[in-house]
Each structure stands twice: as structure tokens, then as C-alpha cells.
Amino acid sequence: MSRPPADEPSTGKRVGHGDVEMVRELTLAFSRMDQSRGGGHGRRAVDEYLKHDAHDFLRGRFADDAARRAMFSASAELAYVSGWMAFDNSEHAVALQRFNTAVKLAARSGDAPLSGHILRAMAHQALDLGFRREALQIAQTSVDGERYAAATPRERALLGVVHARTLAANGHKQQAAWSLLRAEDDLSNASDGIREPARTFFFGEAALAHETACTLRDLGDHHRAVKEFRHSVRTRGAAFRRTHAVTLGYMGAAQIGQGGVEEACSTWSKALDAMEDGIYSGRARQTVVDMRQLLSPYRKRGIPAVGTIDSRAASYLAQVD
């Protein structure tokens, strides 16, 4: 698919590198919005741009083959962001459709690391939906060959830690542990002297700790998982409010799994504070659903914190549903 088309279109607008930069800037802006406010905010605008402007660019007359490849790569990233926003907002059928489109466009561009990045997202979605074996197959594909080898250190770490999560979910403990160590090494090799793709802007120490915690949780190590969730919360920047809320939701679940009911309620109180401040995310909402389910055995025990959090959680769900 990376080969130039046999027949270049004879009509359509001329497409150059300036047009590519415009698509990349828009993609990054929407990706930052997703990280801050959640995938439920602004995705329709992304889709409108994909259907019209990006579609016209892809059918245009390219200045050269480099411009063609770059435009297909930029459009693939935009389709991926649309898919990720849909995934975050629990619109899973739409997400899968966008991810499939993104993978095809990335193949047309010949951008192997971008293909790996998109496949990593698909593995993440499959894992969240409970398709553990399929998630592992997709994650293994994301780190295969040039998808991993040609990627920068930060992107390698991202691909690797999701691969670790899928290994853990399938009971491959030793391989998961090894993949976590490799992801840590990859991220430690990222430096200011290495130009990373803009799409990896969100993946740093806090994000690695979050994914590591999820891996440890799935391995049954709740104590170390809570430790990593705490590290993620402490090191995350203010621009990543959606992920911050999700991390707090997961951390509370791990804490109550250890019997720390009041500790979990304290954590969930912070999660609800974040969500009530304009977060539009199906994943965040799901942590509140899980919160109420996990609290249900404690409702009649007269623990004040349980009643307070359960009431807040019910009120939040009533407002967003």
C-alpha cells in the first residue's frame, strides 16, 4: 500500500508541505484537547475535517512523492486521534472504524512507527473490552519489525508498555515483567537531543507509571500497583486532567481491593473533583460505575465516607447519562 498510486489524479487542489503542516497542527490541537477534557469534547469537529478537508487533500495533486507520503501520514494521525477520542468516550464501533482507516492511511504513507502507534491503540481498546487474546496479538504486531525498530525511544516505550499490559492480561508474567523493564529503559533513553513525533507528547514518566500500575494490577500485585498509581498522580502535569481522573479511579479500585475502604474513598473524592470540572470521557464515567459497584458491599456498614462518595457518584452519573 505504500507504493504511489498508478494513476495520479489529474484534477483537485495542489497539495504541498504547508498543507501537511496544517493537518499536523490541527491533529495536535485536538489531541491536547482530548488529554485535557476527554474524547467526548470536539470529536465531531475532527470528523468533519476528516470527511471534507482531509479527504480533498488525499485526492489532490501532490507537489512530490514526499508530500504525498507526508499527507497520508498526517491524515492517518488525524484519523487515529478521532478513533482515540471515540474510544475514550466509549463509542467503540466508531473507534474501531477510525483506527482501521488510520492503519490503512499509515500503510499508504510507509510510516511504520505510526502504524505501530495506531495498532497499540487498537490493542488498548481490545484489552479494555475484554478481548485479551486478540489484544495480545495486535500488541505483538505493534512491536514487530520496523514498527518498533524505527520508532524513537519515547514511542518505543509506549508500544512496549501496552505490550506488557496485554502479556499480563494473558498470564505471561515473566514476559510482561521483561517488557516493563524494556519500556522503562526506552523511556530513559529519550532526551532533548532526539526529535520525537508530536503524537508522543503525552507519554512521559506519569503515563508510564499509569500503564505499569495497570500491568501490575492485572498480575495481581495490588500493593505495587497502588504505588505506581500514586507515582503517576504525583508526576502528571495539569494539562492531562482526563488521564488524571482515570488514574485516580483505578487507584481507588486497587486500594479497596486491598481492604482500604476509607483510603479508596479519599482517592475517589479527588477523582470526582476532577471529573466534575468538565471532563467528557466514557472511560472516566466507567470508573464511577465501577466505584459504586465496589462500594456496594460497604453501604450498610455505617462508614460515613462510603455514603458520601456513593451519593456523589450517583449524582455524577445522573448528570452525565
Side-chain angles (χ1 to χ4, degrees), residues 213-214 216-217 221-230 254:
C214 290
L216 293 169
R217 175 198 64 196
D221 191 343
H222 292 281
H223 178 75
R224 288 176 61 203
V226 169
K227 184 179 178 181
E228 289 294 332
F229 279 133
R230 281 203 183 100

Side-chain angles (χ1 to χ4, degrees), residues 75-308:
S75 299
E77 279 200 49
L78 186 60
Y80 150 75
V81 167
S82 173
W84 183 265
M85 293 173 78
F87 160 57
D88 181 66
N89 204 40
S90 301
E91 300 173 71
H92 291 294
V94 175
L96 186 57
Q97 184 184 58
R98 297 291 183 274
F99 286 151
N100 281 328
T101 298
V103 167
K104 293 174 183 178
L105 292 173
R108 287 288 299 271
S109 75
D111 191 336
L114 175 57
S115 293
H117 190 92
I118 301 162
L119 289 166
R120 177 272 320 174
M122 296 176 78
H124 194 150
Q125 181 192 28
L127 192 59
D128 275 21
L129 291 175
F131 297 103
R132 292 177 294 179
R133 185 173 62 181
E134 292 83 352
L136 177 56
Q137 291 172 341
I138 299 169
Q140 286 174 332
T141 304
S142 77
V143 296
D144 184 51
E146 288 297 297
R147 298 184 190 96
Y148 176 86
T152 55
R154 190 177 303 278
E155 190 149 59
R156 285 182 181 181
L158 173 57
L159 301 181
V161 78
V162 174
H163 185 213
R165 282 192 62 184
T166 63
L167 286 165
N170 283 273
H172 303 305
K173 295 185 177 181
Q174 289 186 331
Q175 291 172 277
W178 181 85
S179 293
L180 280 180
L181 290 173
R182 184 175 71 165
E184 291 174 6
D185 289 343
D186 282 334
L187 189 61
S188 68
N189 289 328
S191 66
D192 293 338
I194 299 175
R195 185 177 179 182
E196 299 276 353
R199 62 180 172 265
T200 65
F201 78 94
F202 67 92
F203 193 77
E205 184 180 358
L208 178 63
H210 172 98
E211 298 295 345
T212 298
C214 290
T215 305
L216 293 169
R217 175 198 64 196
D218 293 346
L219 289 172
D221 191 343
H222 292 281
H223 178 75
R224 288 176 61 203
V226 169
K227 184 179 178 181
E228 289 294 332
F229 279 133
R230 281 203 183 100
H231 181 61
S232 180
V233 168
R234 285 196 306 269
T235 54
R236 181 171 289 112
F240 306 102
R241 282 173 285 188
R242 186 276 315 283
T243 310
H244 182 67
V246 173
T247 301
L248 288 167
Y250 290 171
M251 186 167 83
Q255 288 168 331
I256 204 169
Q258 292 183 293
V261 181
E262 293 189 346
E263 187 181 27
C265 287
S266 176
T267 298
W268 282 333
S269 177
K270 296 172 186 174
L272 287 165
D273 288 343
M275 292 179 203
E276 289 165 354
D277 188 30
I279 300 295
Y280 301 90
S281 165
R283 284 195 296 161
R285 179 195 173 281
Q286 185 59 45
T287 67
V288 182
V289 173
D290 295 341
M291 188 186 303
R292 296 205 73 207
Q293 290 175 345
L294 291 168
L295 285 173
S296 61
Y298 301 93
R299 286 187 185 127
K300 297 181 180 180
R301 298 190 185 183
I303 304 172
V306 170
T308 300

